[in-house]
Amino acid sequence: MSTTETKAVLKGGEFLIKESDSATIFTPEQLSEEQRMFAQTTADFINTRVLPNLQKIDKQEPGLSVKLLEETAELGLLGASVPEEFGGMGVDVATDTAINEEIGKGHSFAASYAAHTGIGTLPILYFGTEEQKQKYLPGLVNGTLKAAYCLTEPGSGSDALGAKSKAVLSEDGKYYVLNGQKMWITNGGFADIFTVFAKIDGDKFTGFIVDAKSEGLSLGSEEDKLGIKGSSTRQVFFNDVKVPVENVLGEIGKGHKIAFNVLNIGRYKLCVLALGGIKAAATTAVKYANERIQFNVPISSFGAIKHKLAEMAVKAYACESATYRTAGLIDEKIAELVAGGMDKVQAKLVAAEEYSIECAILKVFGSEVLDFVVDETVQVFGGTGFSEEYPAARAYRDARINRIFEGTNEINRLLSVGQLVKKALKGEMDLFTPAMAVQKELMSVPDFSAPNTDDFFGAEKKALTNVKKAILMTAGAAVQKFMQGLEKEQEIIMNAADMLIELFVCESVLLRTERAIAVKGEEACALQIDMTRTYISDALERINLSGKHAITAFNEGDVLRVMLMGLKRFTKYEAYNTVAARRRIADKMIEENGYCF
Amino acid sequence: MKILVPISKVPDTTSKIAFVDNNTKFSTDNVQFIMNPTDEWYALTKALELKEAQGGEVVVIHAGLADSEQVIRKALAIGADSAFRIDMDPTDAYAISVEIANHAKTGGYDLVITGKETIDYNSFEVGGMVAELLDWNAVALVSKLDIAGGKATATRDIEGGTETVEFSLPAVICATKDLAAARIPNMKGIMASRTKPLTVLAATGADKLTSIASYQTPEKAKECKYVSVDNVAELVRLLHEEAKVI
């Protein structure tokens, strides 16, 4: 591992080619007392106001979700990340993360909150004119206005720019006439304002702020959904709706900038919300496993159940590490941009775009860990897991949407690799030199050097340096082989994305634990070390498999053999007793009766 | 009206209770400490309601060491105007009461409201002792309180019902359920709590009248045996031979 390449803050995607210093990354352990108090306030609200009302929320008791949103406004939570000049609290991404993690335990309410504060509020905050911001943001922050975001249409989901909704300027030039149909609109039933995307004259994709009371705007009935049943989801119809020209959001024909940029931070936040759900479900599972007696003992005493509980913890810890690391990266970038004279709001937008690869990675990882954890929670519950009278079923149903909205996980996998390739082609990141170095290494005598034994995580660090080589080898060869045609080879891109995701997560876990050890010592971090080694040990197997699928798809003969041998070398890690490690991890959860790391 | 609210720091109700040093000390390892619920939910919030309705000032006071500041900050975040911490290890109710009374005596307070008891030692002592030391009226277990024209009316819980009493100020009130609605500190309150005054007072060194000799955890509940209703003979045998009660 080269220390000369260590840099304080990495640019977006640079984790693939550079090393990070654990002393410079942000970890949840560094949250201040004030940040923890904000999180506790949110937790108190969720515990006392949302969780006791889950059934009523799921049945969409009239006015309940609206009332709860207004109560969060009183606590300051609707404007947590909105600048103070518009009535918000102007907190940084790390603080907002601590808050949203607790919101994420709120099932359907979390979706209502996230839609309002995220895709509902951010387009106006980032792209609104000063007049638009002054007109709408204070109301969105104090809860008198609720917002929704209308992008998806029956014929355009992942292909967002294929929207058919149209806007035509009136003859007197005072307003646009909007026609079209939008669907899956979260908060649709009660929103006061909609951010709507439509094509002016059929081709200029543009954003508009539309008043819900506008003549010609009508709503479909509530969708009967698989999960998050308590969130309002409707179709919104626009029939000759007159939208004043001053309500055009951003530049005409530049609606895609709004749609896509808002999604970067949205994807990050989705992972944060998922993280809250992950921890809540893990705790639910542990509690039940401790209570449920079979064969005269709690089922938590069985190895098969311990394995499940520990795996929940390992993945939750991994997800948390990657999430807060990214929060730190974005906050550092914002600080750097603001120091350079950029406006804070603009800086956040630019910073989120800088880390769009990490945001896409987190969206995929967070939602998939959540699905894994809720699925295993149902399994731990056994028959009762299948009953709506117990909490596992709701958690299971509510989790599923996360792999679909804010860009499906497939779209986000394509994006993560696509962005990387784009950065390389634009010359923003030199992937070529390290990829060439790997190719050269493949042809030379293998590196049999021992890991740095002075470094506690010497073996793991060596393994992750090699994973970077494995990805560069696989992706580099694919780019060489397919050139511009690579985007048609989606299976290979999925494999590369999976390798990239695992690398980012592995490295985040390792750096977080290393930082914790520096503060508290090895003994106090024994279980964190177990989680780190368990995660990395399994991840290397998954990385190997993804690499094998990809390489075998477009190579053969000697080249294939050389690459497979390289892959094997690059994903090597000393055997680690993960059974014993998982037992230790589970035993702690059983003792603490919940997720406790 | 100037109101003093004594607040206590207690282990969170989900904490594991363990004792060390030959059962003479409560183990604080991995224990999450919180503000005593009746102090927070009823006493402090009632004080704030009175201030909001009639004007005045709410001051919290806490007997404890520096590690209590988080609990004090929460009281400030919920809305108290300022805070005092009496720098002492709070192990004896009398010593704590003397320190609080000493402060209350000179602070120009009209009212002291505290929770009816702490959820750790449940001794119900501090409120009554403070009133006695100050020679003020004391009303315990108050679930409703109205104050008008320097006169107070309180409803207090008694065995099987309630009792309504009238009294003059200054007075000490021990709050119980329903006196006020619990509040969650909002973000603005949390931010403001950083800059609100928190003054550390040296303890005057009041005598400690009690010390803890040892602790004991309750015996584990014995295993429950089920006997079929048709099998009275077995029930009698168990009661005689195992439970040894007949």
Side-chain angles (χ1 to χ4, degrees):
Chain A
M1 177 173 291
S2 161
T3 50
T4 52
E5 280 182 353
T6 299
K7 191 179 162 231
V9 183
L10 296 187
K11 288 185 188 161
E14 269 189 349
F15 67 90
L16 175 60
I17 49 167
K18 292 188 178 172
E19 310 299 341
S20 289
D21 179 355
S22 62
T24 65
I25 71 151
F26 190 76
T27 68
E29 286 75 19
Q30 288 157 259
L31 287 170
S32 69
E33 186 189 318
E34 187 180 73
Q35 288 170 319
R36 289 174 201 275
M37 282 174 88
F38 291 148
Q40 188 59 49
T41 274
T42 316
D44 286 347
F45 176 78
I46 295 292
N47 289 334
T48 58
R49 299 293 299 136
V50 176
L51 299 187
N53 288 313
L54 283 179
Q55 280 192 336
K56 289 182 190 167
I57 294 170
D58 271 4
K59 288 193 177 130
Q60 297 207 358
E61 184 176 292
L64 181 56
S65 288
V66 169
K67 187 165 162 259
L68 290 171
L69 277 175
E70 286 165 359
E71 286 179 20
T72 55
E74 282 169 31
L75 295 174
L77 299 172
L78 286 192
S81 60
V82 175
E84 283 149 320
E85 56 189 295
F86 303 113
M89 305 303 297
V91 302
D92 61 9
V93 176
T95 311
D96 201 41
T97 301
I99 290 170
N100 275 280
E101 215 193 281
E102 298 301 330
I103 293 280
K105 298 173 183 173
H107 293 270
S108 293
F109 178 74
S112 306
Y113 173 91
H116 175 86
T117 56
I119 51 181
T121 301
L122 298 183
I124 297 174
L125 176 61
Y126 291 145
F127 296 96
T129 61
E130 195 52 35
E131 289 74 26
Q132 288 169 342
K133 289 189 211 178
Q134 293 294 352
K135 186 174 174 187
Y136 295 109
L137 290 177
L140 292 170
V141 167
N142 70 29
T144 50
L145 290 179
K146 320 290 179 302
Y149 177 84
C150 304
L151 176 63
T152 300
E153 298 185 4
S156 59
S158 296
D159 178 21
L161 300 183
K164 290 201 174 70
S165 292
K166 278 183 194 163
V168 178
L169 189 63
S170 63
E171 278 181 13
D172 59 9
K174 286 185 178 162
Y175 54 86
Y176 284 92
V177 177
L178 199 61
N179 278 290
Q181 179 185 359
K182 296 287 176 177
M183 75 185 302
W184 308 125
I185 307 308
T186 307
N187 293 352
F190 57 77
D192 303 287
I193 53 168
F194 294 94
T195 296
V196 183
F197 294 91
K199 286 179 176 165
I200 293 176
D201 303 330
D203 63 349
K204 294 185 270 299
F205 192 70
T206 305
F208 298 89
I209 304 169
V210 182
D211 189 322
K213 291 195 196 81
S214 305
E215 201 178 318
L217 186 153
S218 60
L219 302 174
S221 54
E222 285 292 339
E223 302 285 352
D224 186 8
K225 306 189 295 285
L226 170 69
I228 55 169
K229 288 171 180 283
S231 68
S232 170
T233 311
R234 298 199 185 207
Q235 292 201 50
V236 184
F237 303 98
F238 302 90
N239 187 10
D240 288 338
V241 173
K242 290 177 181 172
V243 183
V245 285
E246 59 267 25
N247 280 24
V248 167
L249 186 61
E251 288 175 55
I252 288 173
K254 298 276 173 68
H256 61 282
K257 277 179 81 179
I258 306 174
F260 296 147
N261 275 304
V262 165
L263 284 178
N264 285 327
I265 206 78
R267 284 169 184 146
Y268 172 76
K269 271 200 183 179
L270 184 141
C271 179
V272 175
L273 294 164
L275 178 60
I278 289 163
K279 289 184 183 175
T283 291
T284 304
V286 177
K287 282 191 168 145
Y288 185 81
N290 276 342
E291 280 167 18
R292 174 70 175 166
I293 309 287
Q294 286 291 277
F295 308 103
N296 296 321
V297 290
I299 60 168
S300 60
S301 61
F302 297 124
I305 301 294
K306 284 187 186 185
H307 176 95
K308 291 184 192 303
L309 300 179
E311 193 55 8
M312 290 182 191
V314 169
K315 289 190 166 162
Y317 181 75
C319 181
E320 186 179 51
S321 309
T323 305
Y324 280 89
R325 179 190 184 190
T326 306
L329 288 169
I330 299 175
D331 277 336
E332 294 256 11
K333 184 75 190 174
I334 292 171
E336 182 191 311
L337 293 168
V338 169
M342 193 184 279
D343 165 70
K344 210 174 156 187
V345 170
Q346 189 62 26
K348 188 167 173 184
L349 192 64
V350 173
E353 194 180 358
E354 172 68 39
Y355 295 103
S356 61
I357 294 171
E358 285 79 357
C359 291
I361 283 175
L362 288 175
K363 195 275 172 182
V364 174
F365 188 73
S367 60
E368 293 184 1
V369 170
L370 177 62
D371 260 0
F372 167 81
V373 171
V374 294
D375 183 77
E376 286 289 65
T377 300
V378 170
Q379 196 67 17
V380 168
F381 270 67
T384 50
F386 212 63
S387 162
E388 287 290 344
E389 284 181 31
Y390 290 82
R394 179 184 281 112
Y396 182 81
R397 288 187 288 97
D398 287 352
R400 190 59 183 83
I401 186 62
N402 288 288
R403 278 162 55 200
I404 300 169
F405 60 16
E406 304 268 340
T408 63
N409 284 12
E410 292 68 34
I411 288 286
N412 274 287
R413 281 186 164 89
L414 293 175
L415 264 175
S416 62
V417 175
Q419 293 273 16
L420 206 58
V421 173
K422 211 157 110 188
K423 280 193 183 220
L425 292 177
K426 276 163 80 180
E428 287 175 13
M429 198 196 305
D430 179 17
L431 290 179
F432 184 74
T433 311
M436 281 296 123
V438 174
Q439 232 173 39
K440 211 171 145 197
E441 190 179 331
L442 274 181
M443 300 303 171
S444 51
V445 183
D447 168 23
F448 289 121
S449 68
N452 180 2
T453 47
D454 292 339
D455 189 332
F456 181 77
F457 279 133
E460 287 76 16
K461 286 182 184 172
K462 185 171 173 154
L464 295 188
T465 302
N466 280 334
V467 166
K468 295 179 189 193
K469 293 178 186 169
I471 298 173
L472 287 166
M473 175 187 80
T474 308
V479 170
Q480 267 185 338
K481 167 92 184 175
F482 298 106
M483 308 293 282
Q484 300 298 333
L486 180 60
E487 63 183 49
K488 290 208 177 76
E489 305 297 323
Q490 289 195 342
E491 298 93 327
I492 293 168
I493 300 176
M494 296 288 135
N495 288 326
D498 285 338
M499 296 168 89
L500 199 64
I501 292 167
E502 291 289 10
L503 168 65
F504 185 67
V505 174
C506 281
E507 198 179 63
S508 303
V509 176
L510 177 84
L511 293 167
R512 175 186 178 184
T513 305
E514 185 175 62
R515 183 158 193 158
I517 293 171
V519 176
K520 293 192 283 187
E522 281 169 34
E523 203 183 324
C525 297
L527 293 173
Q528 280 79 0
I529 294 166
D530 274 337
M531 291 195 284
T532 305
R533 292 193 165 136
T534 301
Y535 190 83
I536 290 176
S537 179
D538 283 4
L540 285 166
E541 298 294 334
R542 294 191 290 265
I543 292 166
N544 180 283
L545 186 61
S546 298
K548 208 186 269 178
H549 286 318
I551 293 167
T552 313
F554 63 93
N555 292 288
E556 52 192 16
D558 285 346
V559 178
L560 176 62
R561 256 194 302 282
V562 168
M563 287 182 78
L564 286 176
M565 270 166 56
L567 182 69
K568 199 173 169 189
R569 275 208 314 270
F570 293 149
T571 53
K572 207 174 95 182
Y573 181 59
E574 207 170 309
Y576 183 61
N577 186 348
T578 54
V579 171
R582 284 198 176 92
R583 282 192 180 178
R584 290 190 290 268
I585 296 161
D587 285 344
K588 181 69 179 167
M589 297 169 85
I590 291 162
E591 188 193 331
E592 298 292 332
N593 207 23
Y595 179 80
C596 54
F597 302 104
Chain B
M1 189 157 39
K2 193 171 176 188
I3 307 171
L4 182 67
V5 181
I7 57 169
S8 187
K9 185 184 85 169
V10 295
D12 183 86
T13 47
T14 57
S15 303
K16 283 217 172 59
I17 304 299
F19 303 111
V20 289
D21 292 354
N22 204 17
N23 282 342
T24 57
K25 258 193 185 151
F26 170 59
S27 167
T28 55
D29 282 358
N30 297 321
V31 171
Q32 176 81 33
F33 284 96
I34 57 169
M35 199 187 322
N36 181 45
T38 53
D39 298 342
E40 178 187 333
W41 298 344
Y42 314 123
L44 175 59
T45 46
K46 183 64 192 179
L48 294 170
E49 284 177 11
L50 286 168
K51 177 195 152 180
E52 283 154 12
Q54 309 183 6
E57 190 183 345
V58 174
V59 179
V60 293
I61 189 161
H62 170 78
L65 302 172
D67 60 6
S68 297
E69 296 224 341
Q70 199 186 336
V71 164
I72 301 171
R73 289 274 170 224
K74 186 173 184 195
L76 294 169
I78 291 172
D81 299 294
S82 61
F84 289 96
R85 177 172 69 80
I86 305 159
D87 193 26
M88 65 187 285
D89 192 9
T91 54
D92 173 66
Y94 175 75
I96 295 167
S97 303
V98 169
E99 301 293 350
I100 292 172
N102 281 345
H103 173 79
K105 213 176 288 177
T106 54
Y109 296 98
D110 303 290
L111 194 61
V112 173
I113 312 182
T114 188
K116 64 167 181 172
E117 62 174 330
T118 54
I119 60 163
D120 48 3
Y121 292 94
N122 305 79
S123 69
F124 288 81
E125 287 175 306
V126 169
M129 284 195 202
V130 169
E132 179 63 21
L133 290 163
L134 290 167
D135 197 19
W136 289 6
N137 287 323
V139 189
L141 298 170
V142 174
S143 56
K144 190 169 184 291
L145 175 68
D146 293 309
I147 293 173
K151 214 169 174 67
T153 311
T155 302
R156 58 184 296 267
D157 294 350
I158 56 169
E159 191 67 36
T162 59
E163 175 183 68
T164 302
V165 295
E166 282 183 5
F167 53 96
S168 60
L169 300 182
V172 178
I173 299 296
C174 301
T176 188
K177 201 170 171 287
D178 298 333
L179 183 63
R183 294 181 185 188
I184 299 172
N186 63 32
M187 291 183 75
K188 280 207 170 93
I190 292 168
M191 279 182 170
S193 73
R194 263 187 311 187
T195 52
K196 285 181 177 175
L198 195 174
T199 313
V200 180
L201 304 172
T204 59
D207 287 342
K208 289 183 178 176
L209 303 186
T210 56
S211 64
I212 289 157
S214 74
Y215 293 97
Q216 206 178 341
T217 44
E219 267 185 53
K220 271 195 175 167
K222 286 190 182 136
E223 204 186 324
C224 184
K225 276 192 182 162
Y226 293 93
V227 181
S228 161
V229 286
D230 307 325
N231 199 353
V232 177
E234 173 66 3
L235 178 65
V236 171
R237 188 192 68 78
L238 287 169
L239 288 171
H240 183 66
E241 290 176 14
E242 288 196 11
K244 295 188 171 116
V245 292
I246 53 170

